[in-house]
Amino acid sequence: MPQKAFRFGVVAGAAEGGAKWLATARRAEELGYSTLLCPDNLNLPTPTAALAAAAAVTTELRVGSFVLASPLRTARAAAWEAHSLTVVTSGRFELGLGTGLPSMRQQADELGLPYGSGQERLDSISETVDHVRRLDGAAHTPVMIAAGGPKARRLAGAKADIVTLAGGPLTTREEMAQYVGEIRAAAGARDIELALNVWVVGEQVPPWIRRFIGVDAETLVEHDSLAMLRGSVDDMAAELERRREELGVSYISVNGGFLEELAPLVERLSGK
């Protein structure tokens, strides 16, 4: 299958208020990022509102959920929000879906919704995609699925337009290649885009990221982690070329704290 051109996304939330959020959207567009991606969590402004606002102050920047957690909405409600964003952004929205973190059990309870078993949460993702497709009409909403486990990889391969490889920070290249094989097998002849989120650019891991991923910089370096990009711009560009060659990954997202650090690679590789 022919290689896809590189594009880049930045993952950020609107936790620091509207002015900072809109400035981030404008800056991401200015730097050439393809997409501004927003996480889903009851402790943050809802992605629906945040992404609509970001699209309103930009002209070409795409916006996307990263990712809507299935326990926090019914499948039909998630599809309604997604299709609405596609309409009001004139087709610039990407719907990212995932099963949610274990910590979201309490958040689902606050909303009066069941957290559900792993299979039930996957079924909800599948139903959401089906609802979105029924709503599409002329306005197709690209669907991204975060594929962590074998069942999620099969579902993503079968139904998603974009698949985010959601292994842990110490997942090896060999393991990731196996995951890609599973996704490709499930996709068959379908054309899919493979994505990977980078947690760290450089060799310093911010404390909050360390708490979230559970490992320090030395461990990431020791394990040749795909969660990290380091070295010169030439080194990092070569590493991304390697990932595309070996894994087929062409859509790279990065934590918002590294928006500026990844910018030279965005400028060099976007569209190539």
Side-chain angles (χ1 to χ4, degrees):
M1 192 169 291
Q3 287 185 340
K4 290 188 176 295
F6 281 113
R7 67 183 181 118
F8 296 85
V10 58
V11 183
E16 296 182 50
K20 177 69 178 295
W21 172 249
L22 298 181
T24 298
R26 295 187 184 100
R27 183 59 174 158
E29 181 169 65
E30 182 180 281
L31 292 172
Y33 282 87
S34 165
T35 318
L36 177 61
L37 299 159
C38 185
D40 189 27
N41 188 309
L42 287 190
N43 298 316
L44 296 170
T46 174
T48 307
L51 294 172
V57 299
T58 55
T59 56
E60 296 182 359
L61 183 72
R62 300 184 64 78
V63 295
S65 53
F66 197 79
V67 290
L68 289 192
S70 61
L72 302 187
R73 295 163 191 78
T74 65
R76 183 62 179 85
W80 176 36
E81 291 186 21
H83 181 69
S84 298
L85 276 167
T86 294
V87 171
V88 302
T89 65
S90 300
R92 288 193 280 149
F93 176 66
E94 298 173 3
L95 170 62
L97 296 169
T99 56
L101 300 171
S103 61
M104 288 179 175
R105 185 181 298 274
Q106 180 180 345
Q107 295 188 17
D109 186 60
E110 289 180 34
L111 293 169
L113 294 169
Y115 180 71
S117 67
Q119 186 59 56
E120 287 169 337
R121 284 177 280 133
L122 281 174
D123 289 345
S124 180
I125 289 175
S126 181
E127 291 166 16
T128 299
V129 178
D130 292 342
H131 285 306
V132 168
R133 292 295 164 250
R134 282 192 286 272
L135 291 170
D136 267 351
H140 176 80
T141 300
V143 171
M144 168 195 285
I145 294 179
K151 291 181 180 179
R153 290 192 284 273
R154 288 194 293 272
L155 173 63
K159 289 194 170 185
D161 301 288
I162 308 158
V163 182
T164 295
L165 303 176
L170 302 185
T171 301
T172 67
R173 293 174 191 268
E174 293 73 20
E175 289 168 334
M176 201 67 85
Q178 179 182 333
Y179 299 164
V180 169
E182 294 173 22
I183 294 163
R184 295 275 190 211
R190 295 180 63 249
D191 183 27
I192 57 173
E193 183 178 33
L194 294 177
L196 186 66
N197 188 53
V198 173
W199 281 97
V200 179
V201 179
E203 298 192 11
Q204 300 298 318
V205 180
W208 80 265
I209 289 182
R210 179 175 176 176
R211 288 193 297 271
F212 191 87
I213 65 177
V215 292
D216 58 18
E218 292 76 14
T219 304
L220 292 175
V221 171
E222 179 184 348
H223 287 80
D224 188 28
S225 174
L226 295 172
M228 172 183 270
L229 277 176
R230 62 194 180 95
S232 67
V233 172
D234 288 344
D235 292 336
M236 292 189 287
E239 171 59 24
L240 291 182
E241 294 276 13
R242 179 185 177 188
R243 295 182 189 188
R244 183 170 63 174
E245 178 66 29
E246 295 179 353
L247 301 173
V249 171
S250 57
Y251 187 5
I252 304 296
S253 58
V254 69
N255 178 271
F258 295 100
L259 173 76
E260 300 291 341
E261 286 81 354
L262 195 69
L265 291 164
V266 175
E267 182 179 14
R268 179 181 294 197
L269 295 177
S270 289
K272 299 178 181 177

